[in-house]
Amino acid sequence: MMPAPPSGRMARTWRTLLPEHSGAEHFDVVIVGAGLSGIGAAYHLKTRLPGKTYAILEGRHAIGGTWDLFRYPGIRSDSDMYTLGYAFKPWPSAKAIADGPSIRSYVRETAAENGIDKHIRFGHHVVAADWSGKDARWTVTTEKTAADGKPTGERASFTCSFIMMCSGYYRYEQGYTPDFPGRETFKGKLIHPQHWPEDLDHAGKDVVVIGSGATAVTIVPEMAKTARHVTMLQRSPSYVVARPSEDAIANWLKSFLPAKMAYNLIRWKNVSLGQYFYARARKKPEAMRAVIAKAAQKQLGPDYPVSTHFNPKYNPWDQRMCLIPDADLFNEIKAGHAEVVTDTIDRFTPGGIKLNSGKELKADIIVTATGLDLLFLGGTKVSVDGKEVEFGKTTTYKGMMYSGVPNLVSIFGYTNASWTLKCDLTCEYTCRIIAKMDSTGAKGVTPTLKDGNIEHAPWLDFSSGYVQRTIDRFPKQGTRMPWKLNQNYRADVKLLRYGAVEDPELVFS
């Protein structure tokens, strides 16, 4: 007769050595991605469920995710760091709008301080995850990558009881660039911000940046400091809002309060202000449009054509707002170092870009800040009992799980607030789910729609091109809770931090 299995640490070793799992390391939880979300997920798991084993699988060879990949000039946050920073680790700098290297250091420091870096398997790009209901576990397949990011041809397998997908929402390998007519005739350098060359020298050069989103408004003022001239070429305007890079109230509170107390107060202050302005923009879009235009006019001067270059056709928050710290973009425009041209492209020429208006823009360097390619779960092929999951046909549960997919959570932040606000809450709730499974002996937990006639809506209600190009491949949301996405931090605090885990549509088995 076979002896009873041991408990605790020995139980985990016993499970790992079972014949059906030979050749694959087993963990209680596998976290995919070592960026801002993945390191945060590991912290919550480590502190809330300290007995759990975990590994972080990272396709690249560095901690930081987006903040390590993106190296274009001026790379920075477009949210304040008191809300983009982790709830458990106060942001230390005086600057609320932080540059990319500072954020990367913050994420790496968090990993090192908590021993999380020791759990990262670098060079493991997750390509597949297969759930076995019989074994109640996932088999995760990775493709190994070399230090330069290229596949080595080797594969590895891991098994786990639960997966936390922290791989972001866009394709790391490449950004989106339209097929511009005549691009092959251009004699200068053509660059996408997602893969910025380290040796690019733009000093004294004419630069055209195509785009009007967050990346473009970041690059233009930074390059304008040393370039001969920088033109931001946009097909249509975006809302651009200036904000001080330092939060005066935050720095005042930090001067006399304990760091953690000050951080929590500032965090809630900024959350409240953000939600107030978002709600006002949705309720009275024309009034908010006028406020934003008036502020831009004040910064740019009475004669600047704000209505042409900074007055979008869509309402505020139909797309994400562009934040410029200390009005840097406006300042470079006023100084004559940069300009905005609102026009459409006829074709590229050997010396620049010819516009449909007939005007030609001279360029030594063209930067295509034309957006990202969205990629759900990092492109991981997911199957449940041998059947591939078509996520475009699933419904998201509380913005973190998916109908019919057991023991899998993905981290996806807000579109109208900082990403990490939702990340922290999702991780807290995931730990509560796993604790519930442990207390009841459940091996699986699956969001299950009880009402097959539920109405659906797109995952993101955004008109941005990068969203509309691929939104059909993303899960849908429902029009009722718990299948409806909240774009509201306060509502999610109530739902995820304090709301009950028990739910007839979350089936434990």
Side-chain angles (χ1 to χ4, degrees), residues 177-190 345-353 366 368:
T177 302
D179 186 16
F180 295 114
R183 61 183 291 179
E184 70 283 353
T185 68
F186 178 58
K187 301 299 185 184
K189 293 184 181 293
L190 183 63
I345 295 172
D346 174 39
R347 66 181 184 275
F348 280 30
T349 66
I353 299 174
I366 296 176
T368 55

Side-chain angles (χ1 to χ4, degrees), residues 239 284-296 311 316:
Y239 289 104
K284 297 183 177 180
E286 289 304 317
M288 182 58 73
R289 179 194 291 268
V291 168
I292 296 170
K294 184 178 180 181
N311 185 27

Side-chain angles (χ1 to χ4, degrees), residues 377-397:
L377 300 187
T380 301
K381 181 180 177 181
V382 177
S383 64
V384 173
D385 291 324
K387 184 177 180 181
E388 184 173 354
V389 177
E390 296 180 65
F391 279 99
K393 296 181 180 179
T394 66
T395 308
T396 183
Y397 177 86

Side-chain angles (χ1 to χ4, degrees), residues 192-501:
H192 192 284
Q194 193 161 323
H195 296 286
W196 197 271
E198 292 182 9
D199 59 350
L200 181 71
D201 181 11
H202 62 272
K205 304 287 180 65
D206 287 312
V207 181
V208 174
V209 179
I210 304 173
S212 61
T215 304
V217 303
T218 299
I219 290 174
V220 169
E222 187 65 23
M223 295 189 80
K225 292 176 182 178
T226 53
R228 177 161 51 195
H229 188 73
V230 181
T231 302
M232 188 172 92
L233 173 60
Q234 59 181 18
R235 182 174 55 187
S236 57
S238 298
Y239 289 104
V240 178
V241 178
R243 181 174 174 178
S245 61
E246 293 194 13
D247 185 327
I249 295 175
N251 291 340
W252 174 68
L253 287 172
K254 288 195 293 184
S255 70
F256 65 90
L257 288 178
K260 185 69 173 177
M261 182 186 295
Y263 186 64
N264 288 337
L265 287 173
I266 299 158
R267 192 175 175 89
W268 274 108
K269 183 261 294 183
N270 290 355
V271 165
S272 300
L273 285 173
Q275 290 189 348
Y276 167 76
F277 284 112
Y278 177 77
R280 186 178 173 191
R282 302 312 276 176
K283 186 176 289 188
K284 297 183 177 180
E286 289 304 317
M288 182 58 73
R289 179 194 291 268
V291 168
I292 296 170
K294 184 178 180 181
Q297 195 76 68
K298 183 178 179 181
Q299 291 283 348
L300 290 163
D303 299 325
Y304 189 85
V306 166
S307 60
T308 300
H309 301 309
F310 294 103
N311 185 27
K313 296 177 182 177
Y314 58 87
N315 285 330
W317 280 114
D318 282 352
Q319 297 182 24
R320 194 170 172 94
M321 297 274 195
C322 292
L323 172 67
I324 54 171
D326 301 323
D328 58 359
L329 175 64
F330 294 156
N331 292 335
E332 295 298 335
I333 292 171
K334 283 193 296 183
H337 303 150
E339 68 172 322
V340 177
V341 172
T342 304
D343 208 330
T344 52
I345 295 172
D346 174 39
R347 66 181 184 275
F348 280 30
T349 66
I353 299 174
K354 185 177 181 183
L355 305 176
N356 282 314
S357 64
K359 183 178 180 180
E360 185 161 351
L361 301 177
K362 182 182 176 184
D364 301 302
I365 300 169
I366 296 176
V367 179
T368 55
T370 45
L372 307 167
D373 266 335
L374 297 191
L375 190 65
F376 189 64
L377 300 187
T380 301
K381 181 180 177 181
V382 177
S383 64
V384 173
D385 291 324
K387 184 177 180 181
E388 184 173 354
V389 177
E390 296 180 65
F391 279 99
K393 296 181 180 179
T394 66
T395 308
T396 183
Y397 177 86
K398 296 187 178 179
M400 57 184 281
M401 300 180 77
Y402 308 97
S403 56
V405 183
N407 294 31
L408 183 147
V409 162
S410 74
I411 305 298
F412 202 96
Y414 296 113
T415 56
N416 64 352
S418 289
W419 179 274
T420 321
L421 291 171
K422 183 65 176 286
C423 171
D424 277 329
L425 292 176
T426 300
C427 293
E428 288 178 32
Y429 193 76
T430 301
C431 291
R432 294 177 64 202
I433 287 175
I434 295 173
K436 175 72 174 178
M437 293 171 70
D438 286 349
S439 68
T440 60
K443 301 298 182 185
V445 57
T446 309
T448 306
L449 273 166
K450 298 296 186 182
D451 179 5
N453 297 320
I454 187 174
E455 293 184 23
H456 287 92
W459 171 283
L460 295 177
D461 183 22
F462 250 24
S463 62
S464 305
Y466 73 94
V467 172
Q468 294 304 315
R469 283 192 298 271
T470 51
I471 194 63
D472 60 312
R473 302 174 207 165
F474 278 61
K476 307 295 187 292
Q477 63 168 309
T479 51
R480 64 167 176 81
M481 296 303 294
W483 305 98
K484 183 177 173 59
L485 272 171
N486 282 326
Q487 289 293 343
N488 186 301
Y489 179 66
R490 289 179 183 274
D492 275 336
V493 166
K494 183 178 179 181
L495 179 72
L496 300 177
R497 180 171 293 164
Y498 300 115
V501 172

